[in-house]
Each structure stands twice: as C-alpha cells, then as structure tokens.
Amino acid sequence: MLTASSREVRAKLTGLVTPEVLDDDGAAARHYAHAIWSCVTEPGDGVAGALIAECGVIAAVEAGLGSGGTTNAALEAGRRRWQARLSSVEDALDRARHVGARLLVPGNPDWPVRVDHLGVHAPRALWARGNVASLAGDSALALVGARAATGYGEHVTGELATHLSRRGATIVSGGAYGIDGMAHRATLAVDGVTVAVLAGGVDRPYPAGHADLLGRIARGPGVVVAEVPCGTPPTKWRFLQRNRLIAALSDATVVVEAGWRSGSLNTAGHAAALGRPLGAVPGPVTSAASAGCHRLLREYDARCVTSADDASELLGAQSPAEPVTSGRTDDRTRVLDALSVRSPREPDDVARRAGFGIDEIRGLLAILELDGRARRGPEGWRRVTSPS
C-alpha cells in the first residue's frame, strides 16, 4: 500500500492487532489503510470519509495520497493536507506499540458500530488501551458535565454512575476534571465498566492530574480510547470532535451540570443530532453551574433526570438511529478556532492553523463574514464574539 508489501504491512501492525488479522493479508491491508487515514486526517474529515465510502479504504489511500492529479477541488485540497502528515504514520504506530494500544477499525469484532451513525464523519479508526470489548457493550450511557463542578453536581454524578453501573450500564465520559472524573471514579469504585474518550492520543493522559485515573481505567474492565493516533496533542477543535464521539459511543447522554456555554452542551447537541435520547439534571435556579442544564430542558427537549431510574428510562427508550451525513460540528468551527478576537490573521495563516487549503479557507471565511461571526479588516481577519 503506497509501497509496503504484505510482509511489511504485517510487521507494521504487529502488537497492534490480533493474530487473526496478521494471518489474513486482506484484513491486514484494510487495518493498515485505516491506520494511515487516522494519522493523516483530523477527526470528522468529511472529504476523506466520502472518498473512503466511494472507493473503499484501500483504494482511497492510493486515490487520496498518491501522486496523481484530480479535477475535484475539495479532494485536491484534502490531498495536500493529508500528504503533509504522511510521514507521521510510522511514529504513531511505534508509539502505540510502546504503550500497548490496540488498533480497531470498522468491521473488527470489537468495533463499536454505534459510531457508524456519524456517516462520512465517523472515525477512520480507534486507538484503545484496556478492555476493547467494553466499547461494544449492550447498554452505554454518557455522563458529562462541567469541569468546575459543584459538590451538588459531583454528588449526583456519583449516585447516577454507581447505580447505573450496578445495573450493567457502561459509563462513557471524557476523562476531564469535575463531572467526567467523578463519573469514572464512581464506576470504578463498584467494579463497573467505564470508557474514557480522549481528545489527544491514548499515550498522552490529559489532564495530567488524571494520569492515575486513566491508568486504572486502562487496566480494565474499562477502556481509554481516542480516534487520533498516539502522539497527538489535545486541542480545542479535537475536544469538540471528541464530544461527538462520546455521544456516538453512547445509547443516551445525560448532562449532570453545565454552565450556559459549557462544552457539555456540544456533546448534548451531537446526541440530539444522532437521534439519541438526551437528559439533563436540574439544579438550583441560582446556580450558574446548572444554567446549561436548564437550557437543555427548555430549548432542546431534554428529559429531566433526577435519579438512576430516570436515566435507565432513557436507555430503555433507545431506538436505532439513522445514519447522519452532515455532522454536528462543521468546518466553520475549525476556522473560528483558528481566528483571534484581538489579532488579525491573514488567510494563509488561518488555513495553516485550521488545516485547510487556501481556497477552502477563503470560502469558509466569506460564509462566516455573512453570518457575522468573522470580520475582515485591512490587516486581516478577526473573530467576532457577539454577532450583531
């Protein structure tokens, strides 16, 4: 693939996949192709997803990363940004072997088919440390919320995680401080199964203060998982995409505590876009830490969750979700992340920071200008904090 022989592919995958994969040249080639795509793309890259859906993952490597030209502007822009990362593949595989990570790809027995509902924005591969079988559990609930959690929020989270774990649910969260950390700790305390979804590589525990907690999860029966390869640092954009993966890995999502603009609302939005049941825990009307939950109850038709029974009803109400093709977090979010409120930036600088080609970035900047979320000045582009 690109130049690797079957023997070379098997050598590259040794220690990352099961022996059965290495015994099958076709399966090994497919796993290696997915690994390449995971390394060269940003999470949720719809251009790569569409190419893989059209050509198949192996042929897509040659079409998207080979030297041949194309008249498709989006594909050509994608090719330029993908090829720039091609040299990172070997390092990512070595890092994964060093920490004992497993490579999971679509079609693998342990692949969590829930994430396929993300359509062309589904992950190319997953990198996991721990009991990978827990990703495909029968009943999974996301418990998410604010990093700056109150005692009330942590108490409710502990109660929900404890009782739901005892009922056999897998608890999914993001490994962060606050609500996430309490969800994981409470689950571990009753020997339950918990999944920590990271925004960076599974070899880079984040936050650093949760290195021990994430290590405990990785020792099983839970699992630490990421769609970005080992060595990848967490960024704001990757946290937003991580949120969509938390929602996709879960049959239902409950936001326990969240401020008005909490990132947990992003996770809730993804759950709603996927057609998954959404719940929110009410809090004191005087608490800013619960304002986001009240917003979900009022504006998103979230179910009011006050007990483990309420959360279990969400899991019971789960119906098969139809695949979506649009994705909740779009390319404009990446452009906004690359813009500054104070410092003007030229389009080529914005393109480099966001990972787009210059032609793509000009179109996206124009759309954001029409939306009132970006402004062009004589010195460059700025982000607008409060569109008029």
Side-chain angles (χ1 to χ4, degrees), residues 14-371:
T14 298
L16 304 177
V17 297
T18 60
E20 292 79 8
V21 171
L22 298 178
D23 291 339
D24 183 332
D25 285 347
R30 185 168 53 83
H31 278 68
Y32 185 49
H34 278 289
I36 290 173
W37 281 115
S38 174
C39 294
V40 302
T41 59
E42 280 292 309
D45 189 325
V47 177
L51 179 64
I52 292 169
E54 179 181 351
C55 303
V57 67
I58 296 175
V61 170
E62 305 297 336
L65 297 171
S67 58
T70 175
T71 58
N72 184 310
L75 179 56
E76 185 58 35
R79 173 179 286 167
R80 288 194 295 270
R81 62 177 182 264
W82 302 329
Q83 288 178 337
R85 291 183 174 178
L86 194 54
S87 61
S88 68
V89 175
E90 299 305 318
D91 180 62
L93 297 179
D94 288 340
R95 286 173 178 266
R97 267 190 294 272
H98 181 70
V99 297
R102 281 276 306 279
L103 169 66
L104 302 177
V105 307
N108 186 291
D110 293 317
W111 179 257
V113 295
R114 295 179 184 92
V115 303
D116 294 338
H117 294 157
L118 290 168
V120 296
H121 301 284
R124 311 279 81 82
L126 293 174
W127 305 85
R129 295 176 60 205
N131 178 24
V132 296
S134 61
L135 292 170
D138 293 334
S139 180
L141 180 87
L143 285 179
V144 296
R147 290 188 294 272
T150 67
Y152 164 79
E154 292 191 343
H155 172 77
V156 173
T157 302
E159 290 290 306
L160 290 175
T162 296
H163 292 297
L164 290 166
S165 296
R166 285 173 173 165
R167 298 180 188 186
T170 297
I171 302 301
V172 182
S173 200
Y177 292 129
I179 298 301
D180 290 15
M182 176 56 72
H184 294 308
R185 286 193 296 271
T187 303
L188 291 172
V190 293
D191 298 323
V193 178
T194 186
V195 176
V197 187
L198 303 187
V202 295
D203 62 329
R204 301 179 64 138
Y206 187 89
H210 274 176
D212 288 343
L213 173 61
L214 295 171
R216 289 173 58 199
I217 296 171
R219 288 193 290 274
V223 63
V224 176
V225 64
E227 65 176 307
V228 294
C230 291
T232 304
T235 64
K236 184 177 179 181
W237 161 253
R238 291 169 186 149
F239 274 109
L240 290 173
Q241 289 291 356
R242 183 279 307 268
N243 291 345
R244 99 193 189 290
L245 194 56
I246 290 175
L249 282 168
S250 308
D251 296 311
T253 295
V254 173
V255 181
V256 181
E257 198 171 45
W260 185 259
R261 297 185 181 278
S262 170
S264 302
L265 303 189
N266 178 259
T267 308
H270 287 300
L274 288 166
R276 308 281 171 86
L278 174 64
V281 175
V285 296
T286 55
S287 174
S290 290
C293 292
H294 300 155
R295 183 181 180 187
L296 291 175
L297 292 168
R298 184 174 61 253
E299 300 177 12
Y300 287 73
D301 291 327
R303 296 275 294 276
C304 181
V305 173
T306 61
S307 66
D309 288 339
D310 293 341
S312 293
E313 286 181 11
L314 291 179
L315 291 173
Q318 162 68 10
S319 58
E322 291 296 323
V324 296
T325 58
S326 61
R328 179 74 182 181
T329 302
D330 60 21
D331 293 340
R332 284 169 282 186
T333 303
R334 289 168 64 181
V335 180
L336 288 172
D337 281 349
L339 291 171
S340 169
V341 175
R342 297 181 180 85
S343 303
R345 289 173 179 163
E346 293 294 331
D348 57 349
D349 184 27
V350 180
R352 180 183 60 79
R353 291 170 182 269
F356 287 112
I358 188 63
D359 292 334
E360 291 177 287
I361 210 70
R362 288 194 179 104
L364 290 165
L365 286 169
I367 292 172
L368 289 171
E369 185 176 32
L370 289 173
D371 288 344

